[in-house]
Amino acid sequence: MTGQVKEDFLSRFAELGVSYDAGCISFRTDLLDLAELLEQDEHMEFFNLKGELDAFTVPTGAIAFTLCQVPVVYHPGAEDRIELLLSDGSAVSVAGCQLDTDITSKVFSRGGEILRIDCYFSSLS
């Protein structure tokens, strides 16, 4: 990557509120441009951790991106929380907007245990 590409890449993650500190990924909406939230449902395609083209619907009022090939969706919510969809079909709920070190390492390892991260923010409601 050129310097400009790296700078654009890093600044985009900052705008999306993704940060990494003390082994934990955190999500925030402080710099998110609310005009980027979808005005209608949209189809999102991405390459999953198996290298296959995958897709899902991003709902109205949300925004989505990938982090280490794991889709992350920001939704409006009554409280700040994270829902993790796991490869065994189960879901895990996390209070607040930070993943612990164990979950963070699973995202970064790209092992396929975490299929999707849904973040709910009261600031988007």
Side-chain angles (χ1 to χ4, degrees), residues 38 40-46 53-59:
L38 296 178
Q40 63 184 21
D41 292 358
E42 294 283 343
H43 184 75
M44 179 176 166
E45 293 183 341
F46 66 101
L53 188 61
D54 206 342
F56 67 98
T57 300
V58 182

Side-chain angles (χ1 to χ4, degrees), residues 8 28 68 77 102:
D8 290 347
R28 299 177 54 154
C68 297
D102 181 52

Side-chain angles (χ1 to χ4, degrees), residues 16-31:
L16 290 168
V18 179
S19 63
Y20 177 78
D21 185 43
C24 300
I25 298 171
S26 296
F27 303 97
R28 299 177 54 154
T29 59
D30 300 352
L31 298 177

Side-chain angles (χ1 to χ4, degrees), residues 36-83:
E36 292 188 70
L37 300 176
L38 296 178
E39 295 181 7
Q40 63 184 21
D41 292 358
E42 294 283 343
H43 184 75
M44 179 176 166
E45 293 183 341
F46 66 101
F47 285 96
N48 65 26
L49 290 162
K50 295 177 184 177
E52 304 163 337
L53 188 61
D54 206 342
F56 67 98
T57 300
V58 182
T60 302
I63 187 171
F65 56 95
T66 59
L67 176 64
C68 297
Q69 290 178 267
V70 175
V72 178
V73 185
Y74 285 5
H75 304 266
E79 62 187 14
D80 293 350
R81 66 185 171 85
I82 299 172
E83 294 287 328

